Amino acid sequence: KRASWIAGLMVTPVFVTWLLLPSLNYLPPVKRDAVDAWISFPPGASIDVKENEVARMIVEWLQSYMDGEKEPALKNYYVTTWPGGNGGLGVRIKDQSRIKEMVEIVQKEILVGLPDTFSFAQQGNLFGNFGDDGTIELHLQSSDSIGLAKAAIAGTEVIKEFLPEANVNTNPRPEFSNPELRIIPNDDRIREAGWTRNDVASIVRALGDGLYVGEHFNGQERQDIILRAEASKNPEALARVPLYTPGGSSVPLGELVKLERAVGPSNIQRVDGRRTVSLQINPPAGMSLGDAVEIVETQIEPRIRELLPSDGAIIYGGSADSLKKAIRTMGENFLFALGLLFLILAALFRSMRDSILVVVTIPLATVGGIVALRLLNLITFQPMDLLTMIGFIILLGLVVNNAILLVHQTRSGERDGLNRKDAVSQALNVRLRPIFMSTLTSIFGMLPLVVIPGVGSVIYRGLAATIVGGMAVSTLFTLLLLPSLLRLGEAPGGWGVKIVDLRRYTGREKEAA
C-alpha cells in the first residue's frame, strides 16, 4: 500500500508536467510604447524617389498627429532607409495606452497608397531589432532562380492560408526586379586581341564602378587607388568605347563582349553557399513562437516543398532556429545542474541513498511551476520563454532545501536511538517551522512580480510564477512524499537500536546499562 502511494506521488507530477507543458517562446513578449513599420521600396528607387514620393507623403500624414490636431498625439517619429531597397518607420505616442490604436492607424492610413511599396506595422519589441523576438524564417533554396521565385510567391499565399493574421515578408522580393546589363564574353575575339577573360573583366570594372590598382601611403594613412573611366550614358555608348590591344590595334568593347539588357533580382541572398529566398513570418499577436513553428512544420512546410524545384530545400532561421538551440542548451544545463547537485549531496550525506531521496522531490517542483504558468495564462498571455526556463533551474537550488532538512533531521534522530517512525515524526515536528519560513519568504518575495502589473514586469513574470508555483507545490508534496520514502525499509514493528555510551556510567550504573 505504501509503495503504491509513493509511486503515485512520483509518477503523477511527471505525467501532469508532460500533459500541461505550455507553449514555448524564445524571448518574453515585451513591447515598447512605439510602432515599428517595415517598408520595401520599389526596385532601383533613388534617394530622390524615396524622399519625395514616399518619405514626404508619410511626413505630411503624420504632421497632424505631431501637432496634436489628431489623436493619439505623437512624441516623435523617424523614417529610415538602408541598402537593399528597404526602410523603416518608427512612431512614438504620448499616451501609451493607445498604442494598439496607433498601430491600426499606421497600417491602414499612413502606409496605404504609397507607390509600388510593400509595408506592414506592429508594436515595437523591447528585445532585438524589428520582429526579432518571434520571427520564423523559412530559407527556400534552389539553383533554379525562376522556380525559386515562383515558389516564394506561392509560399506566401500558403502561409496566409494557415496564419491569416501573420505578417509575411519575402527577402529578396521575387516580384521586384531591377534592370541589369549582362556582359557575355566572345572568347574567340578576345583571344585574337591577345587578352584573356580576366583581362576583359578588369577592363569592364574600370569602365564601371572602378578597378582597384593599389594603394597610396602618405606617411599616416593608406588610401586605395581606383582606376575609373568616365561613365557611359547608355549601353550603346559603352559598346563603342575603344580599347587598345597588346598588339597595338584598337577594337571597340562591343567586339569583345555582347551587351544585353535584362532584368534581375533586386539583390541576391545566399545561405550556406546556396541561392536563397527567405520567407520571414511574424506570428499573430497572442500566439507563441512554439505554436507557430508547429503549424509551419506540420502544415505549411509540406505544401511549400511541393512548390520547390527538384533540387529545392528548406532550412529554418530566425528566432525559430534560436529557440531549438536554446531548448537543447537549457536541457543540457538542467541535466548538468541536476547531476552536480546529486554529487554534492552524496558527498555531504556520505550516502547515495539519501541524496537520491532529496533529488526525487525535484519533479514535484516542476509540476508546480507548470501549473502556475497555466493558471497565469488564464489571465494574460505568458508562454514559456528563456527566462522562465531559467526559473526551473533556479528551483533546483530552492526546493531541495526542505528535503535536506528532513533527511538530515531523520538521520540524526536515528543516530540518537530513535526508531525510523519516531525519527521521521521528530524531523517533521522540529523542521516544519523552518521549512514554512523559508518557503513563504521565497513565495512572497516573488509574488509581486506575478500579481502586480507594471513597466517591465512582464520580463520576469514567467520566472516568478515558476518559482512561486514550484515552491508552493513542492513543499506540500515533499511533506507527504519524503516521510513515506524515509520509512521504506524500516524494521518490522518499528524497532530501533539504541546506542549507549558506557563512558557516562560507573559502577552499578554501568552494569545496569
Side-chain angles (χ1 to χ4, degrees), residues 8-28:
L9 287 178
M10 295 179 63
V11 174
T12 301
V14 177
F15 176 74
V16 173
T17 299
W18 174 80
L19 189 64
L20 298 181
L21 190 66
S23 302
L24 301 178
N25 228 30
Y26 183 50
L27 294 174

Side-chain angles (χ1 to χ4, degrees), residues 442-481:
S442 299
I443 291 176
F444 286 107
M446 287 291 181
L447 200 59
L449 287 174
V450 182
V451 300
I452 300 178
V455 179
S457 64
V458 67
I459 300 177
Y460 301 104
R461 187 171 58 197
L463 182 148
T466 299
I467 294 177
V468 169
M471 290 296 295
V473 173
S474 68
T475 300
L476 296 177
F477 271 76
T478 299
L479 295 178
L480 295 174
L481 174 63

Side-chain angles (χ1 to χ4, degrees), residues 183-187 189-191 193-207 211 243 251 253 255-258:
I183 301 176
I184 304 172
N186 186 337
D187 293 324
R189 192 68 183 92
I190 290 174
R191 283 194 297 268
W195 277 323
T196 65
R197 275 196 175 193
N198 290 335
D199 297 330
V200 175
S202 299
I203 294 172
V204 171
R205 282 198 294 270
L207 296 173
L211 176 66
L243 303 177
V251 296
L253 178 63
E255 288 190 13
L256 303 179
V257 297
K258 181 181 179 182

Side-chain angles (χ1 to χ4, degrees), residues 256-376:
L256 303 179
V257 297
K258 181 181 179 182
L259 283 73
E260 292 182 351
R261 286 185 174 89
V263 293
S266 55
N267 60 293
I268 297 176
Q269 179 183 224
R270 294 186 182 275
V271 176
D272 296 335
R274 298 194 65 186
R275 191 161 188 165
T276 304
V277 176
S278 299
L279 301 180
Q280 300 171 345
I281 308 170
N282 287 94
M287 177 180 286
S288 69
L289 181 62
D291 290 341
V293 170
E294 183 179 359
I295 294 175
V296 171
E297 290 180 339
T298 59
Q299 303 180 42
I300 296 176
E301 181 185 341
R303 292 275 299 274
I304 296 180
R305 284 190 181 276
E306 296 175 356
L307 302 171
L308 286 171
S310 57
D311 66 338
I314 299 178
I315 60 177
Y316 284 82
S319 297
D321 184 57
S322 301
L323 177 62
K324 294 180 180 179
K325 295 178 180 178
I327 293 174
R328 183 173 61 253
T329 302
M330 282 294 176
E332 294 172 354
N333 291 341
F334 186 86
L335 294 177
F336 176 76
L338 188 63
L340 185 62
L341 178 64
F342 175 78
L343 294 177
I344 293 175
L345 292 174
L348 294 177
F349 282 128
R350 297 182 181 179
S351 169
M352 298 285 284
R353 178 170 178 245
D354 288 347
S355 60
I356 292 176
L357 293 178
V358 174
V359 170
V360 295
T361 62
I362 292 176
L364 307 177
T366 304
V367 70
I370 295 297
V371 171
L373 285 177
R374 281 293 185 179
L375 294 176
L376 185 60

